Structures are given as structure tokens and as C-alpha cells.
Amino acid sequence: MEYRHLGRSGVRVSVLSFGSWVTFGPQLAGNLARDCLAAAYDAGVNFFDNAEAYAGGESETIMGAAIAELGWPRHTYLISSKYYWGIEDSINTKNTLNRKYLLQAIDGSLRRMRHDFLDLIFCHRPDPSTPIEETVWALHDIIESGRALYWGTSEWSADEIVEAWEIAERHHLHKPVMEQPQYNLFIRDKVEREFASLYDTTGLGLTTWSPLASGLLSGKYIDGVPERSRATLSGYEWLREMVTDGDSNRKVRALKDIADELGVTLSQLAIAWCASNPHVSTVITGASRAEQVRENLTAVDVIKRLTPDVRERIEAIF
Ligand code: NDP
């Protein structure tokens, strides 16, 4: 495994990490979830991503129970959660980053995850109805209280990140360290264009999501929708349309020729491509079974094989 600094911070994360969206709860629990986490940890993963809203809190409960069972020493891994959508049904706890919500939500995560503190916490989306200053102070206070170590954002605009960073700078508060944007061969704009100046100015780190575009880049949807795949899950119909798109699957089929030539799988190539961007601190992978985890994490050995020539051919397809 390779480890990279999380932006300008001193902490280092495995370049490939593991997250639980969709899978923990709807697809996996108990031993199966534990096996995925163990496979990732054994391959050198030290960052495990989660969110309050995943399966309405159940994803945090499953991960917390599995980590307790696995008995990992606390200093060997980082865990995260994210806040915005809220899981309590009340006026101040939905679609918000207000101070009251944030300071209570973290306690719910700690209880479900069975931890005294989380390593990384994220604002899961921007909240235009709460002043950014209120949110920055709330995140600062959570960190000061010892319940989290670093904070960041997810799917914020560059302007919003800079505003938060400048408020923190002005008041000597804990600054946002990392952003969690989608990044894969289909979705590239934020990472490659919008955030371009922030890597130097604010020292932004990236924990990127959906390297396989929910499985599309694994090639599993080239010939239809396989049984037990994410696209068959009820509640994810919007995703089925995206992963079965004809034009996208034609590109994936063309990418397969390059993967075959390199002797790697499509998933390994697509994940390695994300990790080959030096601004990416960690690529958060997802998997519905331990075999996928093992396959995906060997992508770390494929990064160095993305020569300028290979990259150019990939560019030509996408
Ligand atoms: P991917 O795009 O990599 O999709 C993962 C899914 O693809 C798996 O669950 C599995 O689904 C399928 N898959 C994975 N590996 C293989 C393989 N080798 N062969 C065939 N199919 C495979 O990542 P996710 O969309 O899961 O995102 C990763 C993480 O990013 C999440 O867990 C979460 O932590 C984070 N995230 C953050 C978001 C945010 O807003 N901040 C939003 C979304 C994700 P199946 O087998 O069921 O088909």
C-alpha cells in the first residue's frame, strides 16, 4: 500500500481506502461486512469512510460492531462520518449544517460506531441556509472537544471551501483539511478544474468517491444488469439508468481493451487511474463482497503502469 498526506495536514491515509455507502445495511451486515473490512485492513487500508445518513445510521452501527470484533488497535486506522441530511425527523435536523444539529449528530455517530472520537468528519453537502461562519465554528468546537480530529467538506464548491478556510484563518479556528468529491473517468470537473488552485493555496486534500461510478467502470453492465448488483436494489432506480447508459458502456468496452493488454481488470485500471492523480489523497473504494475488495486493492500496483502513452489512450476514449 502507498500512503499519502491528507492535503497539507500531517496525517497520512492509504491511497486506496474503503467506504460503506449502499453496501453496509442494504447488502451486507455482520460477518460479511467484517470480512470486507478485514480484507481491506489486511491489504494496508487505514481509512474507512462512513456517514450518518448511510442506511439511516445502520451503516455506522455495522462498522462499529465489526471494528470492535476485529479488535484493531485504535492508532492503526482512521474512521469518518458525514453530516447534512440528518436521521432524526425534526425541523432543525434535516438538510442542514446548523450548530445545534452538528453538535448533537456527532454524538449519535460516536454511540453507533462505539468510538470516543472520529478521525475525519465531513459536511456532506453545502447548506446555503446556514451561514458558513456558524458551521465553521461548530466544526471547530467539535474538534476542540476531542470528538473529531480533522474536518472537511463533500461536494462543496471551490468558493464555499475558500470562504470556510478564510473564516477559520481569520479567527484561528481549525481549518477544513479535505474535500470529498466524486471522481472517476466520467466525472472529473471539480477535481481537475474547479479545485485546481486550492491544492496550493489552502492545501486541500481529497478523499474521492465512486471510482467505478457505482460499478459501471467494472464492466459488469456492458451486457445488461447482473443479479445482485447495485443496479438491482430497490430505491436505486436512478442509478440503474446511469450504469446502463449505452454510450457510457461503449466507452467502458473500449477501456477493456487497454485493461486486457495490461493484464489487469477494468476495476483495477479505473481505480488506479483515479489514484494516479497526485492531488488525490485517497480513493475511497466500495465493494459488496470481500473478493471485490481484494481485486480492487491490488490496483495500487497498477498506478505505476499508467505511462503517458496508456493515459493518452484512456483520454482518447473518455
Ligand atoms: P464504486 O464506484 O467503486 O462502486 C462500488 C460498487 O461497485 C460495489 O459496491 C459493487 O457493487 C461494485 N464493484 C466494486 N468492485 C467491483 C469489482 N471488482 N467487480 C464488479 N463490481 C464491483 O464506489 P462507491 O460508489 O461504493 O463509493 C465508494 C465510497 O465513497 C462509498 O462507500 C462512500 O464511502 C463514498 N461515497 C461518498 C459520497 C459522498 O457524497 N461524499 C457519495 C457516494 C460514495 P455491486 O457488487 O453491488 O454491483
Side-chain angles (χ1 to χ4, degrees), residues 5-318:
H5 279 275
L6 184 58
R8 202 178 279 157
S9 78
V11 77
R12 290 198 290 168
V13 284
S14 47
V15 68
L16 304 182
S17 47
F18 181 73
S20 59
W21 178 58
V22 184
T23 53
F24 281 27
Q27 292 178 295
L28 289 176
N31 293 349
L32 295 176
R34 189 200 57 205
D35 292 350
C36 286
L37 291 167
Y41 187 83
D42 290 346
V45 166
N46 78 344
F47 167 46
F48 299 88
D49 187 61
N50 214 320
E52 179 197 46
Y54 293 171
E58 205 190 332
S59 169
E60 291 181 331
T61 303
I62 293 169
M63 191 179 276
I67 291 178
E69 204 181 319
L70 289 161
W72 298 338
R74 185 65 182 94
H75 63 275
T76 61
Y77 66 93
L78 297 96
I79 48 170
S80 72
S81 194
K82 315 188 202 79
Y83 307 98
Y84 169 73
W85 281 290
I87 53 172
E88 304 294 346
D89 214 359
S90 97
I91 184 75
N92 281 314
T93 53
K94 288 276 181 199
N95 305 336
T96 183
L97 293 174
N98 74 59
R99 178 178 180 83
K100 176 170 172 59
Y101 162 68
L102 289 170
L103 279 135
Q104 293 193 228
I106 178 77
D107 289 336
S109 293
L110 293 176
R111 204 172 47 248
R112 287 185 294 275
M113 300 260 247
R114 307 188 198 181
H115 277 68
D116 300 330
F117 67 93
L118 301 184
D119 301 277
L120 314 182
I121 54 172
F122 295 84
C123 298
H124 212 156
R125 290 293 180 271
D127 168 17
S129 72
T130 298
I132 288 186
E133 183 158 354
E134 177 176 336
T135 299
V136 172
W137 273 103
L139 271 303
H140 170 82
D141 288 343
I142 288 172
I143 290 177
E144 284 293 290
S145 75
R147 287 176 283 178
L149 305 185
Y150 300 88
W151 79 273
T153 57
S154 179
E155 296 294 335
W156 280 31
S157 69
D159 287 348
E160 287 161 337
I161 294 169
V162 168
E163 188 179 341
W165 194 89
E166 285 177 348
I167 289 167
E169 168 91 340
R170 204 154 50 240
H171 297 286
H172 302 289
L173 307 178
H174 291 285
K175 296 187 178 107
V177 164
M178 67 285 176
E179 154 70 24
Q180 188 166 130
Q182 182 171 187
Y183 186 52
N184 55 53
L185 277 160
F186 289 105
I187 308 278
R188 303 166 54 166
D189 189 62
K190 268 184 183 290
V191 169
E192 294 180 6
R193 191 193 58 80
E194 186 181 340
F195 296 155
S197 64
L198 302 192
Y199 306 124
D200 278 342
T201 54
T202 72
L204 189 69
L206 298 179
T207 68
T208 62
W209 60 268
S210 283
L212 300 180
S214 273
L216 165 61
L217 281 156
S218 75
K220 72 198 303 172
Y221 298 107
I222 289 176
D223 296 317
V225 176
E227 270 177 45
R228 291 171 61 219
S229 60
R230 182 176 288 186
T232 63
L233 298 174
S234 76
Y236 293 89
E237 290 75 15
W238 57 274
L239 201 145
R240 185 181 173 107
E241 210 170 291
M242 186 271 286
V243 297
T244 54
D245 175 70
D247 188 43
S248 302
N249 276 291
R250 270 188 291 281
K251 290 179 179 170
V252 175
R253 194 186 284 277
L255 184 68
K256 186 162 187 318
D257 292 339
I258 300 178
D260 288 346
E261 273 175 47
L262 292 173
V264 301
T265 67
L266 267 169
S267 299
Q268 290 164 341
L269 181 58
I271 290 169
W273 179 87
C274 299
S276 71
N277 182 328
H279 297 302
V280 171
S281 316
T282 182
V283 177
I284 313 173
T285 64
S288 65
R289 34 195 167 275
E291 305 85 77
Q292 289 177 353
V293 176
R294 282 186 277 270
E295 176 187 335
N296 295 347
L297 295 182
T298 52
V300 78
D301 301 324
V302 181
I303 302 172
K304 57 180 177 302
R305 301 180 60 195
L306 297 181
T307 59
D309 170 57
V310 172
R311 298 183 64 83
E312 233 171 79
R313 289 173 61 200
I314 295 175
E315 281 304 311
I317 298 169
F318 288 87

